[in-house]
Amino acid sequence: MAVGQLWTDAGQAQCVDLLDLNTRSGIATTYFGAWGSGGNTPLVTDTTLQLENPEARTAILAANISQPLSNTCRWTYSLTATAVRTVQETGVLTAVTGGTLINHIVHGSLSLVAGDIVTYTVDLVLKDSSE
Amino acid sequence: MSQDTVFGKADVKALIKLQKADGRTLYYQVVDQKNIEISEQEYKLQGGI
């Protein structure tokens, strides 16, 4: 298992719910990128970032979601530091507050000052067992 | 490396572009909770914008 980069259980459940005609209408399909300072290894059971930073989540518009391959969903989003920040985790969620955490990535620590911009490109690649 | 899921397997990959307020731009690929610095060319080859 890739260390530190996960498709969460909640994200997997959302995918199943989108396939199910009985549940899909109730699924939020808006996406927001968030960042935080937590550095612990993420777990598939995570439902939030560890220590989300106070900058508002970035709405990820359809133009910033793509499929570079038919089995891959790509989200691209940027966040701007409004003060000195440490950033060590990111995730895509379905709401501007709360929401479902689709994926959770912990990365090397970045020390930011006000005005620094981080752009994340996050790919979710689904494969069968032989791939 | 892949994550086993109910669907089979999944990979979550991440790229980072860091635009510093002083004008510098740095590019990273995330591997096992580490930021591996890569070139702008490699960043774009992997789909970064």
Side-chain angles (χ1 to χ4, degrees):
Chain A
M1 186 169 67
V3 176
Q5 300 162 219
L6 290 171
W7 188 25
T8 64
D9 285 346
Q12 295 174 46
Q14 187 205 37
C15 191
V16 171
D17 286 344
L18 285 168
L19 291 169
D20 183 346
L21 294 178
N22 297 295
T23 53
R24 69 190 310 173
S25 64
I27 299 303
T29 53
T30 52
Y31 297 105
F32 295 83
W35 63 3
S37 60
N40 295 326
T41 300
L43 302 171
V44 292
T45 52
D46 290 343
T47 57
T48 63
L49 296 186
Q50 297 166 37
L51 291 168
E52 188 168 344
N53 283 347
E55 284 80 11
R57 296 175 184 174
T58 298
I60 307 174
L61 305 178
N64 294 319
I65 303 173
S66 62
Q67 296 183 37
L69 295 168
S70 60
N71 67 344
T72 301
C73 185
R74 172 173 290 161
W75 297 269
T76 302
Y77 52 95
S78 297
L79 291 143
T80 302
T82 58
V84 171
R85 298 278 184 242
T86 297
V87 176
Q88 205 167 354
E89 61 176 333
T90 188
V92 174
L93 299 104
T94 59
V96 70
T97 59
T100 299
L101 180 66
I102 303 295
N103 49 47
H104 192 186
I105 296 156
V106 171
H107 55 75
S109 180
L110 298 173
S111 298
L112 307 182
V113 299
D116 286 353
I117 302 168
V118 173
T119 300
Y120 290 101
T121 301
V122 176
D123 285 358
L124 171 61
V125 185
L126 301 184
K127 303 183 290 187
D128 62 48
S129 298
S130 66
E131 295 175 298
Chain B
M1 297 176 69
S2 296
Q3 166 194 356
D4 291 329
T5 75
V6 293
F7 300 91
K9 295 183 177 181
D11 281 337
V12 174
K13 302 176 181 178
L15 299 171
I16 294 172
K17 179 167 74 173
L18 170 56
Q19 295 169 274
K20 298 292 291 180
D22 64 11
R24 293 176 296 138
T25 301
L26 300 166
Y27 303 91
Y28 301 99
Q29 179 179 6
V30 180
V31 179
D32 292 344
Q33 300 184 73
K34 297 180 180 67
N35 302 335
I36 308 299
E37 189 167 354
I38 58 176
S39 67
E40 180 180 8
Q41 181 182 22
E42 179 63 23
Y43 174 80
K44 290 182 176 176
L45 278 173
Q46 294 192 44
I49 59 171

